[in-house]
Amino acid sequence: MAALQINPASYRDPSGFVFEQDGIIYRQVHQTYRQHYTQLMESGCYAALTQAGQLLPHRELQQNLTGMPEWFLTLQPELLAHISHPCEWSFGMLKDAALATLAIQQKAIGFGLSLKDATAWNFQLHKDRMCLIDTLSFETYDASKPWIAYRQFCENLLAPLLLMHYTKEPLQPLLLAWPEGIPLPVVSKWLSRKTRFNLHIALHIHLHAKMMGKSAGSTARPVIFSKQKMQRMLSSLELLVQKLQMPARSGVWSHYYVEAGEREDYLTQKTALVKKWIADCGTVSTAIDLGANDGYFSKLLADTGAYTLAADFDAYCADELYKEVREKKITGLHPVVLDLAWPTPATGFPGGERNSFIQRSQSELGLALALVHHLAIGKNIPLEKIAYYFSRVCRQLLIEFVPKSDEKVQLMLQQREDIFTKYDTRGFEKAFERYFTIAAVQEIGNSGRILYRMNKHAE
């Protein structure tokens, strides 16, 4: 039996921790959490939340796999296909996590429980919806006390949604800069003055930030609360979040495949060739589409049964794809907002609490279609480094090379000096052959663009 590995992000919770043994994920529940866990299970709250798809289901095991004296119970949660970070979520994913938090809190109160945490980190896209994955987030509800997670909710979930709504800009990098939530005094300063005349924003952001400043350094007086006050606060938050929207504005590449379809039969032939080569790759359970745009080819991968990450820096494309995932209940497709030139690093204490995107995105098959020129010329990344990057995330690769003669590349080169002397098919193949074996090569129609199928060298 392999030694157990405690999840490095699990040390903060005194109620238990997540660990892995023999490739299986478990959660240990400590004796100190026994009363709250028993209430969660026996009250009917767990059954109600899991049946609604709001809480990750688990199996109970009566085995003390860790041998620790504080052990109470071992849980085996339903397996997540992928772990994404809040800074990689589209607006819709963040909004759904916020609404799910409020709905769960409202439902939990009815069972005599309350959420002690309201952080985005406790949610993941599971199947086709945002789902709470922390079973130990519940505690016995005391109606006389305010919601202990209120500030955390406002900073982690409400704040970024408000800023994106009012600036009309995707601001995912803020969630990387402030992983534990954007400070309310900062949010209050950044929001426009007109938001102070919105009752809900004034209450949950501006007044909240002001009260935080007043209470600093002073002895807090006990606050008399009630169930009715809690429900009014939750209703106010829900009304506010429901009205927040990502502006319906096209991103940089939002109509890429519409334009591509107008180039003779380029898209038709490319689609047919990609489908054939995906089939040639054999049975694949995990895949990643790097530079996925609107998910056109990501959906082809997902249709084969491969759980597919669709990664693109265009937050508008990712959000539209997420809406499709929700509306059509697509369970094998995970949109990710990501600048591939700046992939999410490992974060947290002491530098490895949360894994990097590359560590989390290991896949059997990768697609990189109409992407390399954006990295090599747009971002000035050498082909050798691009090849190494791709070799770290997939074992088989379908990749498109767009030559300098292509109109899109020529358009890019109008804005800068052509210093890319190695950017040709010979330089491309030489760079990738260091990490991959080229299994097939074919020009896509008469476009001049070339599709390669590659297999990573055995390690």
Side-chain angles (χ1 to χ4, degrees):
M1 180 179 290
L4 66 87
Q5 295 179 314
I6 296 178
N7 187 295
S10 201
Y11 70 91
R12 299 174 187 266
D13 191 351
S15 303
F17 60 88
V18 175
F19 66 96
E20 181 178 340
Q21 189 171 51
D22 296 325
I24 301 174
I25 303 296
Y26 301 98
R27 184 189 294 274
Q28 175 163 303
V29 184
H30 291 335
Q31 285 286 349
T32 54
Y33 193 71
R34 181 173 191 156
Q35 177 185 337
H36 303 298
Y37 178 81
T38 301
Q39 185 177 353
L40 173 68
M41 301 305 293
E42 294 183 355
S43 66
C45 185
Y46 169 83
L49 293 175
T50 53
Q51 287 171 12
Q54 295 171 315
L55 177 64
L56 190 69
H58 65 255
R59 290 196 308 123
E60 291 184 356
L61 304 176
Q62 299 296 330
Q63 300 168 276
N64 184 356
L65 298 177
T66 67
M68 295 180 177
E70 58 265 43
W71 173 85
F72 164 61
L73 198 64
T74 302
L75 310 181
Q76 184 180 344
E78 192 169 291
L79 189 63
L80 295 168
H82 178 70
I83 298 290
S84 57
H85 292 180
C87 64
E88 299 164 350
W89 294 354
S90 74
F91 182 91
M93 293 169 74
L94 190 66
K95 180 176 178 178
D96 281 355
L99 291 173
T101 301
L102 298 173
I104 291 168
Q105 173 67 357
Q106 189 72 265
K107 194 173 290 186
I109 290 172
F111 292 100
L113 291 159
S114 178
L115 285 174
K116 61 179 181 178
D117 303 301
T119 170
W121 291 99
N122 282 351
F123 280 82
Q124 287 296 323
L125 179 60
H126 183 51
K127 296 179 180 176
D128 62 345
R129 67 189 59 204
M130 300 303 289
C131 175
L132 177 65
I133 65 170
D134 188 1
T135 313
L136 310 189
S137 280
F138 298 88
E139 63 181 5
T140 302
Y141 175 52
D142 184 344
S144 68
K145 295 181 179 179
W147 186 22
I148 193 172
Y150 173 51
R151 174 179 168 180
Q152 194 176 51
F153 176 86
C154 292
E155 292 184 333
N156 266 260
L157 293 161
L158 179 59
L161 289 170
L162 280 169
L163 289 172
M164 284 190 262
H165 173 87
Y166 280 99
T167 63
K168 302 189 185 325
E169 293 291 342
L171 299 172
Q172 277 76 11
L174 285 179
L175 298 171
L176 182 59
W178 278 294
E180 293 186 338
I182 307 171
L184 293 184
V186 173
V187 181
S188 181
K189 289 178 181 177
W190 284 356
L191 288 174
S192 63
R193 286 187 60 84
K194 70 177 182 181
T195 62
R196 296 178 183 274
F197 300 98
N198 180 302
L199 176 63
H200 303 296
I201 301 175
L203 175 64
H204 301 300
I205 299 296
H206 298 299
L207 182 60
H208 196 166
K210 186 176 180 181
M211 295 304 293
M212 284 170 55
K214 282 187 175 181
S215 63
S218 63
T219 303
R221 289 179 293 179
V223 178
I224 305 301
F225 218 66
S226 67
K227 185 175 181 179
Q228 290 72 26
K229 285 184 177 180
M230 173 74 82
Q231 290 174 332
R232 286 198 297 269
M233 182 181 71
L234 294 174
S235 295
S236 172
L237 287 168
E238 183 180 12
L239 283 170
L240 175 55
V241 173
Q242 286 281 16
K243 292 180 180 179
L244 301 179
Q245 296 181 0
M246 186 71 177
R249 184 166 69 106
S250 66
V252 179
W253 303 104
S254 297
H255 302 295
Y256 179 82
Y257 284 116
V258 174
E259 296 173 4
E262 295 171 353
R263 289 184 234 153
E264 298 180 0
D265 60 349
Y266 163 73
L267 185 57
T268 301
Q269 294 203 33
K270 181 175 174 178
T271 302
L273 185 56
V274 169
K275 281 184 175 180
K276 178 182 182 302
W277 282 4
I278 288 175
D280 290 344
C281 289
T283 302
V284 171
S285 60
T286 56
I288 182 168
D289 188 359
L290 299 161
N293 197 260
D294 63 1
Y296 178 88
F297 287 97
S298 306
K299 286 177 277 190
L300 293 184
L301 283 169
D303 287 344
T304 68
Y307 190 87
T308 303
L309 299 181
D312 200 278
F313 85 104
D314 191 321
Y316 297 96
C317 286
D319 204 48
E320 287 301 313
L321 184 57
Y322 173 68
K323 288 177 184 177
E324 189 173 353
V325 166
R326 291 288 281 120
E327 291 169 2
K328 297 183 179 179
K329 299 186 182 302
I330 304 173
T331 59
L333 187 57
H334 192 313
V336 175
V337 180
L338 187 82
D339 184 344
L340 292 169
W342 295 94
T344 311
T347 59
F349 183 84
E353 184 177 334
R354 309 278 180 178
N355 285 339
S356 70
F357 174 77
I358 291 176
Q359 290 171 306
R360 291 178 281 112
S361 60
Q362 307 294 307
S363 303
E364 295 172 37
L365 174 61
L367 292 190
L369 305 176
L371 171 67
V372 171
H373 56 300
H374 292 294
L375 297 176
I377 295 176
K379 298 288 188 177
N380 201 15
I381 301 175
L383 289 169
E384 293 81 2
K385 288 187 176 294
I386 298 172
Y388 172 66
Y389 181 2
F390 291 170
S391 74
R392 295 181 66 193
V393 298
C394 62
R395 294 199 292 271
Q396 298 185 79
L397 176 65
L398 305 187
I399 184 168
E400 182 178 3
F401 181 76
V402 180
K404 279 188 181 179
S405 57
D406 190 273
E407 61 179 336
K408 293 295 183 182
V409 179
Q410 286 297 308
L411 185 62
M412 294 171 71
L413 289 172
Q414 287 179 11
Q415 309 299 320
R416 61 184 309 170
E417 181 184 355
D418 185 359
I419 60 173
F420 309 99
T421 57
K422 295 182 180 180
Y423 188 84
D424 53 28
T425 54
R426 181 181 177 186
F428 173 81
E429 291 174 6
K430 182 179 179 181
F432 275 80
E433 283 176 336
R434 183 174 178 181
Y435 304 98
F436 294 90
T437 299
I438 298 175
V441 184
Q442 186 170 326
E443 183 179 350
I444 303 171
N446 296 315
S447 67
R449 299 184 171 196
I450 303 171
L451 195 65
Y452 291 80
R453 181 163 67 85
M454 302 182 181
N455 298 315
K456 185 180 175 182
H457 297 327
E459 295 179 351

